[in-house]
């Protein structure tokens, strides 16, 4: 982030104070874009980033001790939230087109902490309509059936098999296509006996199990859903 430097200088008898004329910018190791903006701010403000530009599709992003909000569908290469940082997706989707090991476990944890609170990764819109909309996620390889060098479009972005997709959608939309349909019932019905974890398998309230609470969400939203999200 960006910090002001203040120094107290003393020889044991006399003391003087010094304020640096400009901010010191500290960037995260391995990140091409570090948030240097205020304690709360908009992702789309170029001045809020260490590179002087809004993160692009190939950027690794780090956010420390700040509450950042996204208002547009976004694709990046990596995301690191630390020091209590939060990311509000509002009604937007986020694609993390990673290289190397998948961050899906860490992303699941951040989404779980933000399911019913302003913590980790959350949607302020979903928090205002609990049980109706939520943030779902899954590997592109599972959601889109990609493998190897396959690619497909998601939200207008090209993704390959090594991407985590986070979508603002209806609670119960297991396959992230923006609607609750028979395909989603197939997902949860297939996973229920094995108790496979994750949104794609029907854990819509992110409590780590698939049970009647998840069926309550999908059953309630099937007739209540609006236009595809």
């Amino acid at each position: 982030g960006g910090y002001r430097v203040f120094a107290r200088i003393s020889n044991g008898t006399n003391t003087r104070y010094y304020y640096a004329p400009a901010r010191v910018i500290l960037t995260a190791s391995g990140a091409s874009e570090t948030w240097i903006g205020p304690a709360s701010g908009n992702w789309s403000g170029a001045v809020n980033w260490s590179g002087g530009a809004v993160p692009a599709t190939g950027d690794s992003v780090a956010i420390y001790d700040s509450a950042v909000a996204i208002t547009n569908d976004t694709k990046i290469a990596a995301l690191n939230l630390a020091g209590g940082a939060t990311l509000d997706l509002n009604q937007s989707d986020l694609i993390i087109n990673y290289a190397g090991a998948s961050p899906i476990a860490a992303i699941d944890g951040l989404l779980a902490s933000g399911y019913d609170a302003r913590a980790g990764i959350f949607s302020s819109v979903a928090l205002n309509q609990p049980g109706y909309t939520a943030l779902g996620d899954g590997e592109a390889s599972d959601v889109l059936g990609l493998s190897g060098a396959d690619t497909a479009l998601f939200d207008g972005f090209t993704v390959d098999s090594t991407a985590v997709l986070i979508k603002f959608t209806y609670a119960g939309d297991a396959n992230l296509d923006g609607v609750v349909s028979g395909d989603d019932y197939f997902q949860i019905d297939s996973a229920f006996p094995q108790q496979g974890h994750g949104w794609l398998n029907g854990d819509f309230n992110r409590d780590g199990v698939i049970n009647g609470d998840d069926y309550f969400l999908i059953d309630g939203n099937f007739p209540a859903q609006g236009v595809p999200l």
Side-chain angles (χ1 to χ4, degrees):
Y3 299 88
R4 296 291 181 181
V5 175
F6 163 75
R8 177 179 180 271
I9 305 168
S10 175
N11 63 3
T13 302
N14 300 312
T15 300
R16 303 188 68 178
Y17 299 90
Y18 173 77
Y19 296 87
R23 289 194 304 169
V24 172
I25 304 300
L26 301 180
T27 59
S29 176
S32 52
E33 289 281 6
T34 300
W35 178 266
I36 61 170
S40 61
N42 194 310
W43 178 288
S44 298
V47 70
N48 292 328
W49 297 99
S50 59
V54 178
T57 58
D59 284 323
S60 297
V61 175
I63 302 173
Y64 289 79
D65 304 314
S66 298
V68 180
I70 290 181
T71 54
N72 297 295
D73 294 340
T74 299
K75 176 186 175 184
I76 55 175
L79 175 67
N80 180 21
L81 297 181
T86 63
L87 185 61
D88 179 4
L89 298 189
N90 289 286
Q91 299 181 76
S92 301
D93 302 341
L94 177 64
I95 300 168
I96 304 174
N97 207 76
Y98 63 87
S102 172
I104 188 71
I107 295 299
D108 281 343
L110 290 167
L111 289 169
S113 65
Y115 177 78
D116 56 7
R118 291 177 173 268
I121 300 175
F122 67 96
S123 163
S124 55
V125 176
L127 290 178
N128 288 329
Q129 43 191 23
Y132 185 58
T133 57
L135 295 178
D137 73 313
E139 292 276 4
S141 56
D142 297 323
V143 176
L144 303 175
L146 302 178
S147 63
D150 293 344
T151 62
L153 288 178
F154 187 83
D155 286 340
F157 294 102
T158 299
V159 299
D160 56 26
S161 59
T162 56
V164 172
L165 313 177
I166 306 173
K167 182 172 180 61
F168 173 80
T169 189
Y170 298 108
D173 173 24
N175 64 357
L176 306 183
D177 64 356
V179 297
V180 179
S181 67
D183 293 336
D184 305 304
Y185 276 97
F186 177 81
Q187 290 291 120
I188 189 172
D189 289 345
S190 299
F192 180 75
Q194 289 79 34
Q195 281 297 302
H197 299 301
W199 177 276
L200 186 65
N201 288 321
D203 181 15
F204 303 127
N205 64 354
R206 298 192 179 277
D207 63 355
V209 296
I210 300 169
N211 57 22
D213 293 336
D214 302 299
Y215 276 96
F216 177 82
L217 291 173
I218 192 172
D219 289 344
N221 285 331
F222 179 71
Q225 64 187 312
V227 299
L229 295 176

